[in-house]
Amino acid sequence: RRREAAAEEEEVDETPQEKKLRLAKLYLEELRQHGESRPLLAPWRREGATLRCSRVWGRGRGSPAHILLPLQVQPPDPASIRVLRGHQLPVTCLVISPDDRFIFSASKDGSVIKCKWEVESGKKLCVVPGGKKGTEERHLGHASHVLCMAISSDGKYLATGDSNKLIMIWDAATCKRLHIFTGHRDAVSGLSFRKGTHELYSASHDRCVKVWNVAENAYVETLFGHQDVITGLDSLSRECCVTSGGRDGTVRLWKIPEESQLVFYGHQGSIDCIQLINEEHMVSGADDGSVALWGLTKKKPLALARQAHGMQEAQGLQQPYWISAVAALRNSDLLATGSHSTSVKLWKCSEGFRKLEPLWDIPLVGFVNSLKFSAAGDFLVAGLGQEHRLGRWWRVKEAKNSICIIPLRRGGATAPGPKAPDSS
């Protein structure tokens, strides 16, 4: 009874719809545990199931419980990693076009290489140069560090945010700047388009989240709640978004129509990055070296890997490597995390999202400031720099400011990964 009471205390207030969904999932899980007349097949083993599942999932309204795609990934071959060079200063953010054909990246040098690192050839197809501070109207690009970017799910619009409080909207196909949104009072640190729409969410060091309608070049509303700078933001199909709150130690789920928020606690340091895995789970990373796996109905992490990238010696003290980037292959059990520990790590969410299991290390030198999986899950892209995207505390001199494309090989049984230094 004590355990049940404790579990009930951890439950966050639910809407009737969310409660029905949770109870339905529990019922299905009980059926599986008690055995069924025939085993369930993985979605891709049912003919045509993958496409249908993704369409149902994309609606995000009244859809059935998410369908998890368990993946078997072989160790990536370091020799197969392709490196794209072009930015003069550290790469801070990147996105992949919905069709997986192009990579858009940005950096501290103010230039935006957009629409068009071509994935297949590695060619640089479009460069938008930046200018000096105060010359935004005379230059097409940014005049300060670009910290974040997002692309709409139809591939039409690209949004970029900089340290000078500006959000720029671009035509992704032509590299033409369409509009500039102003309104934030500090650096714009996170951007995300709501899936299937042209609704844009932005987060800033001014501690607030803003909602925009890009198609109509319109501001919608502002949401307040964080007590420190917001460092990251993500969203999917539902009319909500999640944010990482830096040193206020919280992750927040913002329910836009209700103008309400749910607050999650678990990390001990500054929470610097966050991404949704599906409509019910998310992953975050902090400068205390921990990676947290969350369920959106629990106030505390479902799983927490401490010292996920190991320890470093800094000024005579042993400190964990900061987690500077996280990525999730949507609706699967595969995650990636980055630091400046000379490797990107792949993880598996096991035991019903209650355990983080380390899989493979991919050698990469420098600060991993951004990570993104391709939509098909056949490659991972990392944005590297000599410095952290949000500051200049120290430099990794041997690092190259670059973009790395890491092919992911499917199939075959995965061997046990290295044991996490400290996971719970």
Side-chain angles (χ1 to χ4, degrees):
R1 290 182 179 176
R2 289 181 180 177
R3 291 181 180 177
E4 292 177 358
E8 290 177 359
E9 288 179 1
E10 285 190 6
E11 294 291 334
V12 178
D13 292 340
E14 298 173 299
T15 64
Q17 180 73 13
E18 290 170 337
K19 185 175 182 180
K20 288 179 183 177
L21 181 61
R22 178 173 59 82
L23 293 176
K25 288 178 62 182
L26 288 174
Y27 176 68
L28 291 173
E29 184 61 28
E30 288 176 2
L31 287 179
R32 293 192 186 98
Q33 290 177 356
H34 285 85
E36 297 174 317
S37 58
R38 59 178 180 176
L40 291 175
L41 293 177
W44 60 77
R45 296 187 186 275
R46 303 184 212 125
E47 185 177 353
T50 303
L51 182 58
R52 290 198 299 273
C53 291
S54 64
R55 285 177 177 171
V56 170
W57 182 233
R59 293 190 187 111
R61 296 186 186 91
S63 56
H66 75 274
I67 298 173
L68 175 66
L69 303 181
L71 298 178
Q72 290 184 328
V73 179
Q74 295 180 345
D77 179 8
S80 67
I81 298 175
R82 291 190 292 147
V83 180
L84 308 182
R85 300 290 304 278
H87 289 293
Q88 301 302 312
L89 293 179
V91 176
T92 54
C93 52
L94 57 84
V95 293
I96 305 171
S97 63
D99 59 9
D100 289 345
R101 293 179 59 198
F102 306 110
I103 297 169
F104 303 75
S105 64
S107 80
K108 291 186 177 184
D109 57 22
S111 69
V112 182
I113 297 178
K114 329 183 310 125
C115 249
K116 314 270 183 169
W117 289 104
E118 190 175 47
V119 172
E120 185 175 351
S121 67
K123 290 182 179 178
K124 187 194 308 177
L125 301 182
C126 179
V127 178
V128 180
K132 294 182 179 180
K133 187 175 181 179
T135 64
E136 287 83 2
E137 294 300 326
R138 286 180 284 155
H139 290 85
L140 191 60
H142 288 271
S144 57
H145 299 170
V146 181
L147 300 180
C148 53
M149 64 193 328
I151 190 168
S152 59
S153 53
D154 61 0
K156 183 176 181 180
Y157 295 113
L158 181 74
T160 53
D162 67 19
S163 59
N164 195 32
K165 317 171 192 176
L166 299 180
I167 299 170
M168 294 190 183
I169 307 298
W170 309 81
D171 183 315
T174 64
C175 297
K176 179 182 177 182
R177 192 179 75 192
L178 303 176
H179 193 69
I180 298 179
F181 286 138
T182 60
H184 279 296
R185 293 172 295 162
D186 206 336
V188 181
S189 53
L191 290 168
S192 179
F193 280 94
R194 180 184 168 201
K195 188 177 179 181
T197 76
H198 293 146
E199 189 172 72
L200 177 69
Y201 304 130
S202 64
S204 168
H205 287 184
D206 65 11
R207 309 178 187 180
C208 72
V209 173
K210 290 185 182 291
V211 184
W212 315 84
N213 186 319
V214 171
E216 298 180 7
N217 291 337
Y219 159 79
V220 179
E221 62 180 313
T222 301
L223 306 171
F224 299 94
H226 276 293
Q227 303 302 307
D228 197 4
V229 301
I230 304 176
T231 56
L233 177 147
D234 195 24
S235 66
L236 280 175
S237 299
R238 293 179 181 174
E239 205 168 348
C240 62
C241 61
V242 295
T243 53
S244 51
R247 296 209 171 275
D248 77 2
T250 68
V251 166
R252 297 185 185 233
L253 168 66
W254 304 81
K255 297 184 177 182
I256 310 298
E258 296 91 341
E259 296 185 0
S260 64
Q261 57 190 284
L262 303 178
V263 184
F264 304 81
Y265 295 93
H267 293 286
Q268 300 300 313
S270 175
I271 308 172
D272 290 344
C273 45
I274 191 165
Q275 187 167 10
L276 283 160
I277 303 170
N278 51 48
E279 299 283 7
E280 298 172 9
H281 299 91
M282 58 185 170
V283 61
S284 61
D287 69 1
D288 64 0
S290 63
V291 175
L293 183 61
W294 308 83
L296 297 189
T297 59
K298 297 285 186 180
K299 293 181 181 179
K300 297 180 180 179
L302 300 177
L304 185 69
R306 299 182 177 87
Q307 302 171 17
H309 280 249
M311 301 289 287
Q312 64 173 327
E313 185 170 338
Q315 299 177 347
L317 299 174
Q318 287 290 317
Q319 298 180 359
Y321 282 103
W322 296 3
I323 307 302
S324 53
V326 295
L329 180 55
R330 302 290 196 191
N331 303 323
S332 81
D333 57 0
L334 184 62
L335 306 178
T337 59
S339 181
H340 62 287
S341 60
T342 70
S343 69
V344 165
K345 290 182 178 287
L346 295 182
W347 304 77
K348 178 181 179 180
C349 303
S350 58
E351 298 181 10
F353 283 92
R354 294 191 175 275
K355 184 178 180 182
L356 279 170
E357 178 184 339
L359 294 176
W360 316 109
D361 287 4
I362 304 168
L364 289 178
V365 178
F367 279 90
V368 181
N369 288 324
S370 187
L371 283 170
K372 289 290 185 297
F373 283 100
S374 64
D378 52 358
F379 64 90
L380 173 68
V381 181
L384 296 180
Q386 293 182 334
E387 302 169 347
H388 191 284
R389 75 181 182 102
L390 296 178
R392 290 179 167 170
W393 298 283
W394 63 86
R395 291 169 60 89
V396 179
K397 294 182 180 180
E398 61 272 23
K400 305 295 183 183
N401 300 318
S402 59
I403 297 160
C404 295
I405 302 176
I406 306 159
L408 299 176
R409 298 179 295 166
R410 299 281 188 85
T414 54
K419 186 178 180 180
D422 183 6
S423 62
S424 59

